[in-house]
C-alpha cells in the first residue's frame, strides 16, 4: 500500500504532542518509543522484577484454556509457551469487544500490537509476544453491541444486537440467546451488499455464534481467526480463571486505596501544570474498583466504615472486601485507572499500544504506578489510517479536492459546488423578491395599523403567508436544480461517506467487516506488511 501522512485529523492535544516527542511529556511518561535505549531499559527492569508478577506457568495455563475456546492456532500456542518462559516480554494492547469484530480501529490496534512486538524483537534480539487484552469486564453493552457497514448504495447503516433486559452486567457476563445472534446476522446479511466474499463471511459468523456465546467470546473467535496466524494471544480481563490469579493485586488496591487516590490526584495536577485537561477526572473517594453483583457492575466508593456503591446496594467493611478479594476475586474488576496496574501485574509489559484518548488518560498514572513500586511501560501510539477505496481517488480529482478537504469540510464544499452550478442566481433573485415585498408592505402595514391595530396584525399575517409561499417556491426551484446534478451530488456524498462517514474518522465508524465483504480476507492481511511507524500518526493508505 502507498502511505501518505494526513495532517489535521482530530486527536487530543496531549497525545499528539507526546507522539511528536515533546520533552515535557516524555518526562511525564518516563520513556518514548522512538528512543531505542528506553526499550532496553524497560526490558532490563522487567527482568529484575519478574518475581513481582503472576507466576508465568499459571498464567500460561489460563491462556491455554481460553485459547481452547477460540480458533486453533499453532502460532498462538507457541506464543503462550514463550510467555511461560523466564525472561519473556510482551507488547500489549486492548479494547472492549465489538459486535462482529467492531470498528476498524480495533483491527488496527491488534495489527499495531503485532508490529510493535516485531519492532521490539529487532531492537532487543529477544522474542516479544503480542497480547490483546479484551476488556470484557466493561458493562457498556450499548457501546459494544453494534457496528456500521455500508449498504448497496454506500450509505453507512448500523447493525445491532439487542441488549437483554435486566441489570447491566459486564459484557462477558451478559448471556445471549441463539435467536438474538440469528437476528443480528440476518440484519447484517440484509445490509451488506452482495459480493463474492459475503457467503463465506456470514457462514463463519454463524459458526462462531452457533453455541450462543457472549459477545466477548464471539468477538475473540473472530480476532483469533484474523490474527492467530501472527501469534497474537487473546485474553479476557473478565475471565474468572485469570481473576483468581489477580487476587494479590486486588488486595493491594484495597489496602492502599487512600494512597492510590492521592497519587492519582497528584498525577492529575502534573497534567494540569503542563496546560492539559484531564481525560478521565478522578471522582472524590472513588475506589477505582467495581463489584459484580445481582444488581449489575457497581462502582465502589470509600466510606468511613469501608466501601459501598453510590446507591448503597452493596456495602463492605475494609476487612470484608479484602476477604472477598482473597475468596472470590472474580467478584471484583478494575476501572480505566486501575486496569493498567493490573495489566502490569499479569504480564511482562514491555510496551502497551494505546489510542489517542488512552494516552491522554495514562498521562496521569505515573504517580499511581510509583506508589505501587511500578514504572509505566513504553506507550506506543496506535497506527491510524484512512483507506482510500478504489474509485474515490478519481472523484477527488474530478472535483479538485483532497482527502483532507473532504474530512474537514466535505458537506460545506458539496453545498458550495452546488451553489456554483446555479447560473440563474436563484438565491439572489428570491432575496430581491423578499426585500421588494417587505418594502411594499411596510407603508401598507402602517396605514392598516392606523385604521385599526387588529387590521395591521392581519396585514402582517398576510405578508407572512406570502413569504412562506415564496420560500416554498424557492425550495422547489433549488430541488429542481439539485436533481439536475443528482449524479454529481451522489458522488460528493460517496466521497464523504467513504472518508468521513457520519462525521467521524473512517476507522471509528465502519466495521472491519465492511472492508472484508468488499475486498476479501487478504485485505486485512496486507495491513500486517504496512511499514510500522513507532510514533503512530494518521496516514492515508491506498493501492
Amino acid at each position: 500500500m502507498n502511505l501518505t501522512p494526513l495532517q489535521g485529523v482530530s486527536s487530543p492535544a496531549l497525545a499528539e504532542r507526546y507522539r511528536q516527542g515533546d520533552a515535557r511529556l516524555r518526562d511525564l511518561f518516563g520513556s518514548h518509543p522512538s528512543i531505542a535505549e528506553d526499550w532496553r531499559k524497560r526490558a532490563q527492569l522487567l527482568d529484575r522484577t519478574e518475581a513481582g508478577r503472576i507466576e508465568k506457568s499459571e498464567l500460561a495455563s489460563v491462556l491455554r484454556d481460553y485459547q481452547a475456546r477460540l480458533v486453533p492456532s499453532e502460532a498462538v500456542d507457541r506464543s503462550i509457551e514463550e510467555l511461560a518462559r523466564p525472561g519473556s516480554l510482551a507488547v500489549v494492547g486492548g479494547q472492549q469487544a465489538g459486535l462482529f469484530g467492531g470498528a476498524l480501529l480495533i483491527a488496527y490496534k491488534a495489527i499495531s500490537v503485532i508490529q510493535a512486538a516485531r519492532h521490539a524483537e529487532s531492537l532487543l534480539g529477544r522474542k516479544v509476544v503480542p497480547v490483546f487484552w479484551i476488556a470484557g469486564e466493561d458493562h457498556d453493552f450499548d457501546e459494544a453491541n453494534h457496528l456500521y457497514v455500508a449498504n448497496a448504495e454506500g450509505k453507512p447503516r448500523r447493525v445491532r444486537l439487542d441488549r437483554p433486559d435486566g441489570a447491566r452486567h459486564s459484557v462477558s457476563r451478559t448471556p445471549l440467546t441463539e435467536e438474538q445472534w440469528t437476528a443480528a446476522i440476518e440484519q447484517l446479511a440484509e445490509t451488506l451488499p452482495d459480493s463474492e466474499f459475503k457467503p463465506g463471511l456470514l457462514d463463519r459468523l454463524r459458526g462462531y455464534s452457533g453455541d450462543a456465546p457472549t459477545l466477548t467470546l464471539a468477538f475473540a473467535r473472530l480476532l483469533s481467526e484474523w490474527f492467530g496466524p501472527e501469534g497474537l494471544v487473546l485474553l479476557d480481563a473478565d475471565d474468572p480463571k485469570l481473576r483468581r490469579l489477580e487476587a494479590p493485586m486486588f488486595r493491594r488496591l484495597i489496602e492502599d486505596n487512600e494512597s492510590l487516590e492521592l497519587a492519582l490526584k497528584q498525577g492529575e495536577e502534573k497534567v494540569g501544570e503542563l496546560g492539559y485537561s484531564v481525560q478521565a477526572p478522578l471522582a472524590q473517594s472513588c475506589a477505582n474498583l467495581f463489584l459484580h453483583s445481582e444488581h449489575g457492575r457497581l462502582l465502589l466508593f470509600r466510606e468511613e466504615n469501608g466501601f459501598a456503591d453510590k446507591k448503597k446496594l452493596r456495602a463492605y467493611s475494609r476487612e470484608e472486601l479484602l476477604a472477598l478479594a482473597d475468596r472470590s476475586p472474580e467478584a471484583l474488576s478494575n476501572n480505566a485507572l486501575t486496569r493498567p496496574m493490573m495489566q502490569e501485574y499479569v504480564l511482562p509489559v514491555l510496551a502497551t499500544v494505546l489510542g489517542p484518548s488512552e494516552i491522554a488518560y495514562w498521562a496521569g498514572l505515573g504517580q499511581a504506578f510509583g506508589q505501587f513500586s511500578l514504572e509505566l511501560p513504553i506507550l506506543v501510539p496506535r497506527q491510524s489510517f484512512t483507506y482510500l477505496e478504489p474509485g474515490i481517488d478519481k472523484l477527488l480529482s474530478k472535483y479538485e479536492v483532497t482527502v483532507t478537504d473532504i474530512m474537514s469540510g466535505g458537506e460545506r464544499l458539496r453545498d458550495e459546488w452546488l451553489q456554483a452550478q446555479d447560473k440563474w442566481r436563484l438565491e439572489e433573485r428570491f432575496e430581491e423578491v423578499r426585500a421588494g415585498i417587505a418594502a411594499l408592505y411596510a407603508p401598507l402595514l402602517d396605514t392598516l395599523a392606523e385604521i385599526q391595530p387588529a387590521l395591521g396584525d392581519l396585514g402582517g399575517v398576510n405578508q407572512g403567508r406570502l413569504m412562506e409561499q415564496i420560500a416554498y417556491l424557492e425550495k422547489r426551484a433549488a430541488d429542481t436544480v439539485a436533481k439536475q446534478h443528482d449524479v454529481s451530488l451522489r458522488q460528493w456524498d460517496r466521497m464523504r461517506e467513504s472518508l468521513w462517514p457520519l462525521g467521524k474518522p473512517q476507522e471509528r465508524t465502519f466495521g472491519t467487516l465492511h472492508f472484508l465483504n468488499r475486498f476479501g480476507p487478504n485485505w486485512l492481511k496486507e495491513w500486517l506488511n504496512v511499514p510500522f511507524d513507532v510514533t503512530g500518526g494518521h496516514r492515508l493508505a491506498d493501492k
Side-chain angles (χ1 to χ4, degrees), residues 441 444-446 448-449 452-466:
Y441 258 74
L444 176 62
L445 293 177
D446 290 341
L448 292 174
Q452 186 181 61
L455 198 58
D457 293 340
L458 181 60
V461 171
N462 179 264
Q463 181 186 8
R465 288 175 177 171
L466 184 56

Coordinates of all heavy atoms in Angstrom, one line a residue, residues 441 444-446 448-449 452-466:
Y441 N -44.8 46.3 1.5 CA -45.8 46.1 2.6 C -45.6 47.1 3.8 O -46.6 47.4 4.5 CB -45.6 44.7 3.1 CG -46.7 43.7 2.7 CD1 -46.7 43.2 1.3 CD2 -47.7 43.3 3.5 CE1 -47.7 42.4 0.9 CE2 -48.7 42.4 3.0 CZ -48.7 42.0 1.7 OH -49.7 41.1 1.3
L444 N -48.0 50.0 3.8 CA -49.3 49.5 3.8 C -49.7 49.0 5.3 O -50.8 49.3 5.8 CB -49.5 48.4 2.8 CG -50.9 47.6 2.9 CD1 -52.0 48.6 2.5 CD2 -50.9 46.5 1.9
L445 N -48.7 48.3 5.9 CA -49.0 47.9 7.3 C -49.1 49.0 8.3 O -50.0 49.0 9.2 CB -47.8 47.0 7.7 CG -47.7 45.6 7.0 CD1 -46.5 44.8 7.5 CD2 -48.9 44.8 7.2
D446 N -48.4 50.1 8.0 CA -48.5 51.3 8.9 C -49.9 51.9 8.7 O -50.5 52.3 9.7 CB -47.5 52.4 8.5 CG -46.0 51.9 8.9 OD1 -45.9 51.0 9.7 OD2 -45.1 52.5 8.3
L448 N -52.7 50.4 7.7 CA -53.7 49.4 8.3 C -53.7 49.5 9.8 O -54.8 49.5 10.4 CB -53.4 48.0 7.8 CG -53.6 47.7 6.3 CD1 -53.1 46.3 6.0 CD2 -55.0 47.8 6.0
A449 N -52.5 49.7 10.4 CA -52.5 49.8 11.9 C -53.1 51.1 12.3 O -53.7 51.1 13.4 CB -51.0 49.7 12.3
Q452 N -56.9 50.4 12.2 CA -57.3 49.5 13.4 C -56.1 48.6 13.7 O -55.6 48.0 12.7 CB -58.5 48.7 13.1 CG -59.0 47.9 14.2 CD -60.3 47.1 13.9 OE1 -60.2 46.2 13.0 NE2 -61.4 47.4 14.5
P453 N -55.6 48.5 14.9 CA -54.5 47.7 15.2 C -54.7 46.2 14.7 O -53.7 45.6 14.2 CB -54.4 47.8 16.7 CG -54.9 49.1 17.0 CD -56.1 49.3 16.0
A454 N -55.9 45.7 14.9 CA -56.1 44.3 14.5 C -55.9 44.2 13.0 O -55.5 43.1 12.5 CB -57.5 43.9 15.0
L455 N -56.3 45.2 12.3 CA -56.2 45.2 10.8 C -54.7 45.1 10.4 O -54.3 44.5 9.5 CB -56.9 46.4 10.2 CG -57.2 46.3 8.7 CD1 -58.1 45.0 8.4 CD2 -57.9 47.5 8.2
G456 N -53.9 45.9 11.2 CA -52.4 45.8 11.0 C -51.9 44.5 11.2 O -51.0 44.0 10.5
D457 N -52.4 43.8 12.3 CA -51.9 42.5 12.6 C -52.3 41.5 11.5 O -51.5 40.6 11.1 CB -52.5 42.0 13.9 CG -52.0 42.8 15.1 OD1 -50.9 43.4 15.0 OD2 -52.7 42.7 16.2
L458 N -53.5 41.7 11.0 CA -53.9 40.8 9.9 C -53.1 41.0 8.6 O -52.7 40.1 7.9 CB -55.4 41.1 9.5 CG -56.0 40.3 8.4 CD1 -56.0 38.8 8.8 CD2 -57.5 40.7 8.1
G459 N -52.7 42.2 8.4 CA -51.8 42.5 7.3 C -50.4 41.8 7.4 O -49.8 41.3 6.5
G460 N -49.9 41.8 8.7 CA -48.7 41.1 9.0 C -48.8 39.6 8.7 O -47.8 39.0 8.2
V461 N -49.9 39.0 9.1 CA -50.1 37.6 8.8 C -50.2 37.4 7.3 O -49.6 36.4 6.8 CB -51.5 37.1 9.5 CG1 -51.8 35.7 9.0 CG2 -51.3 37.2 11.0
N462 N -50.8 38.2 6.6 CA -50.9 38.1 5.2 C -49.5 38.2 4.5 O -49.2 37.4 3.6 CB -51.8 39.2 4.6 CG -51.9 39.2 3.1 OD1 -51.2 39.8 2.4 ND2 -52.9 38.4 2.6
Q463 N -48.7 39.1 5.0 CA -47.3 39.2 4.5 C -46.6 37.9 4.8 O -45.8 37.4 3.9 CB -46.6 40.4 5.1 CG -45.2 40.5 4.5 CD -44.4 41.6 5.3 OE1 -44.9 42.2 6.2 NE2 -43.2 42.0 4.8
G464 N -46.7 37.4 6.0 CA -46.0 36.1 6.4 C -46.4 35.0 5.5 O -45.5 34.2 5.1
R465 N -47.7 34.9 5.2 CA -48.1 33.8 4.3 C -47.5 33.9 2.9 O -47.2 32.9 2.3 CB -49.7 33.7 4.2 CG -50.3 33.2 5.5 CD -51.8 33.3 5.4 NE -52.4 32.8 6.6 CZ -53.7 32.9 6.9 NH1 -54.5 33.6 6.1 NH2 -54.2 32.4 8.0
L466 N -47.4 35.1 2.4 CA -46.8 35.4 1.1 C -45.4 35.0 1.1 O -44.9 34.3 0.2 CB -47.0 36.8 0.7 CG -46.5 37.2 -0.7 CD1 -47.2 36.4 -1.7 CD2 -46.8 38.7 -0.9

